[in-house]
Amino acid sequence: MNIHHKKILTIFLGLIAVSQVASASSCDGAKTQVDLSQCAAQEFHREASRLEGIYNSYLSRLTGTQQTRFAEAQAAWRKYMDLTCDFESSAVLGGSAHQVVLASCLSSMTHERLLNIQALIQCPGGDLKCPQLERK
């Protein structure tokens, strides 16, 4: 996780902490910018936690060389995600919607990466495009 990504997560988690009383209501009913920001931050946090879990699980099943390559690929993906979401949210930079647009992008891309790793885990044996998992 790079410094920019950590700053974004810190801001979003701060929003969640500040407005925990308001979180009793469902995100489906979010109407204010604060509610929308809080909901977007919560969704990103959920997706990031899920991704971290599946990433670590898959990583632990790979050989040493594969682990190194997968960790490098993940670091490159994170950089790509940060740059992509910075760009995609740049139209509203400085505006009240920026946090929502940025968090939504981060959440969406994180979910896509999670699905990608799940597909690697479920790859059928013998498929040459899939790294072989260590036998346990």
Side-chain angles (χ1 to χ4, degrees):
M1 187 179 294
N2 69 28
I3 293 172
H4 179 69
H5 195 208
K6 287 180 182 178
K7 286 180 186 177
I8 292 168
L9 186 56
T10 301
I11 291 168
F12 293 143
L13 293 177
L15 283 171
I16 291 169
V18 168
S19 55
Q20 279 298 311
V21 174
S23 70
S25 63
S26 170
C27 285
D28 293 336
K31 293 181 180 151
T32 68
Q33 194 62 50
V34 171
D35 290 344
L36 293 170
S37 294
Q38 176 186 345
C39 289
Q42 288 173 342
E43 180 60 26
F44 173 57
H45 182 67
R46 273 192 301 273
E47 291 297 330
S49 293
R50 289 179 61 210
L51 176 59
E52 184 177 352
I54 198 165
Y55 168 83
N56 288 328
S57 174
Y58 184 61
L59 184 69
S60 71
R61 297 164 60 185
L62 298 173
T63 65
T65 301
Q66 290 172 330
Q67 286 180 343
T68 299
R69 288 180 177 160
F70 187 58
E72 289 170 349
Q74 186 69 4
W77 171 81
R78 284 186 179 132
K79 174 95 173 157
Y80 170 74
M81 177 186 69
D82 288 340
L83 292 171
T84 298
C85 291
D86 281 347
F87 172 72
E88 288 186 9
S89 65
S90 66
V92 291
L93 187 61
S96 61
H98 182 252
Q99 290 178 345
V100 173
V101 173
L102 182 60
S104 294
C105 178
L106 292 169
S107 180
S108 175
M109 290 191 72
T110 300
H111 183 75
E112 287 176 24
R113 180 65 174 160
L114 183 137
L115 294 176
N116 178 260
I117 295 171
Q118 283 178 334
L120 289 171
I121 289 171
Q122 297 169 358
C123 208
D127 188 337
L128 297 179
K129 68 179 180 185
C130 300
Q132 290 294 313
L133 299 177
E134 285 187 316
R135 308 287 181 230
K136 297 217 176 189

